Amino acid sequence: MDIELIADLSHKAGAMLIVDNVMATGLLQKPLELGADAVMYSATKHIDGQGRVLGGAIIGSSDYINNTVRLFARHTGPTMSPFNAWVLLKSLETYELRVSQMTKSAQYLAEQLSVAKGVKRVIYPHLDSHPDFALAKKQMSAGGTTIAIELAGNKKAAFKLIDALEVIDISNNLGDSRSLITHPATTTHHRLDPEVRQKLGISDSMLRISVGLEDQEDLLEDLLLALKN
Ligand SMILES: *Cc1c(COP(=O)(O)O)cnc(C)c1O
């Protein structure tokens, strides 16, 4: 999404623009600098990054935080326990190192999977095959930690691949230091009608890979062996 363009359209219409920046990450994409009014994060993802606690963050002007978010939080009760807050604050100390290393491995895997047998398509913002490659280059300093691949086969081929993996775990979390794989059509997006999923480009042979901190050669080998399975 072109944040600058959407911010401009929103402001002309008298609306505010709130960006869910989880996938792009706060390290690689800065929506407030592009004109967004607020940004939200699931801290459960890259900020914790080790699958321990749930949390979230909302960043915006002090007027928005004090007069809108704070009032809502006070009356509805989404209050984090001190222990969870401590875990997330400790995690922020390693956030940049983790996200940049995971992103490097993700770029490498995206490139290698693009030429792998059995893979029909790889979707990753900083691959020149991505339909919005130019925008992603302009707006994100790197392509992020998540890759989608589409296999030559169907759902059966997708399940066969994920069941054959030994390093990469099956989970619908993302941004974790462990590499995780999920089948969106039967998990994150299973509630949508098949036609809607198709329109969104989420086919039965699509898999989402969240790249973690393991050695990138181990990850590649795991995927290539599972593809041959
Ligand atoms: C996980 C996720 C959320 C929701 O966060 P929770 O911590 O699970 O409540 C929102 N947006 C995106 C893009 C996510 O990946």
Side-chain angles (χ1 to χ4, degrees):
M1 302 271 180
D2 188 333
I3 296 174
E4 224 164 359
L5 177 73
I6 300 168
D8 197 39
L9 290 172
S10 308
H11 297 152
K12 279 187 182 138
M16 74 181 279
L17 176 66
I18 304 174
V19 175
D20 180 334
N21 205 36
V22 169
M23 289 291 188
T25 81
L27 182 69
L28 309 173
Q29 176 172 280
K30 315 277 186 194
L32 294 178
E33 290 172 13
L34 297 166
D37 302 287
V39 186
M40 61 180 212
Y41 292 99
S42 162
T44 315
K45 312 293 166 56
H46 302 82
I47 295 177
D48 172 42
Q50 288 160 84
R52 299 166 299 186
V53 301
L54 298 177
I58 303 173
I59 292 104
S61 69
S62 38
D63 173 51
Y64 178 65
I65 299 299
N66 287 327
N67 299 318
T68 304
V69 179
R70 204 181 289 275
L71 283 184
F72 176 81
R74 181 176 296 159
H75 294 305
T76 58
T79 305
M80 188 178 285
S81 76
F83 179 77
N84 285 16
W86 176 76
V87 169
L88 293 173
L89 286 171
K90 288 299 288 175
S91 288
L92 280 178
E93 294 170 9
T94 55
Y95 172 82
E96 181 175 348
L97 284 173
R98 286 184 285 107
V99 175
S100 27
Q101 183 56 44
M102 282 151 62
T103 299
K104 267 191 214 144
S105 299
Q107 178 78 40
Y108 174 72
L109 289 180
E111 284 164 11
Q112 296 296 318
L113 288 171
S114 299
V115 292
K117 215 172 143 218
V119 176
K120 194 164 84 186
R121 188 160 75 113
V122 176
I123 306 170
Y124 186 71
H126 276 214
L127 276 189
D128 59 13
S129 58
H130 193 282
D132 283 317
F133 175 63
L135 173 66
K137 275 284 197 187
K138 190 177 114 193
Q139 195 168 277
M140 301 170 73
S141 62
T145 64
T146 319
I147 305 170
I149 62 172
E150 206 167 8
L151 302 181
N154 50 16
K155 179 172 139 187
K156 217 174 129 198
F159 276 37
K160 208 171 150 202
L161 185 145
I162 58 178
D163 285 339
L165 292 166
E166 291 190 359
V167 179
I168 303 171
D169 273 338
I170 302 172
S171 165
N172 58 9
N173 191 18
L174 60 92
D176 199 271
S177 55
R178 302 255 194 108
S179 292
L180 303 169
I181 195 161
T182 192
H183 183 249
T186 54
T187 58
T188 53
H189 293 73
H190 84 278
R191 278 194 208 90
L192 301 177
D193 285 335
E195 305 88 72
V196 179
R197 268 204 303 272
Q198 202 179 7
K199 229 172 144 187
L200 293 171
I202 300 164
S203 69
D204 283 352
S205 73
M206 177 176 283
L207 293 165
R208 186 189 78 191
I209 307 167
S210 172
V211 181
L213 287 175
E214 303 91 341
D215 186 276
Q216 62 183 24
E217 297 302 336
D218 286 349
L219 295 174
L220 181 62
E221 189 178 293
D222 199 29
L223 287 160
L224 294 181
L225 284 175
L227 277 165
K228 276 196 203 129
N229 198 263

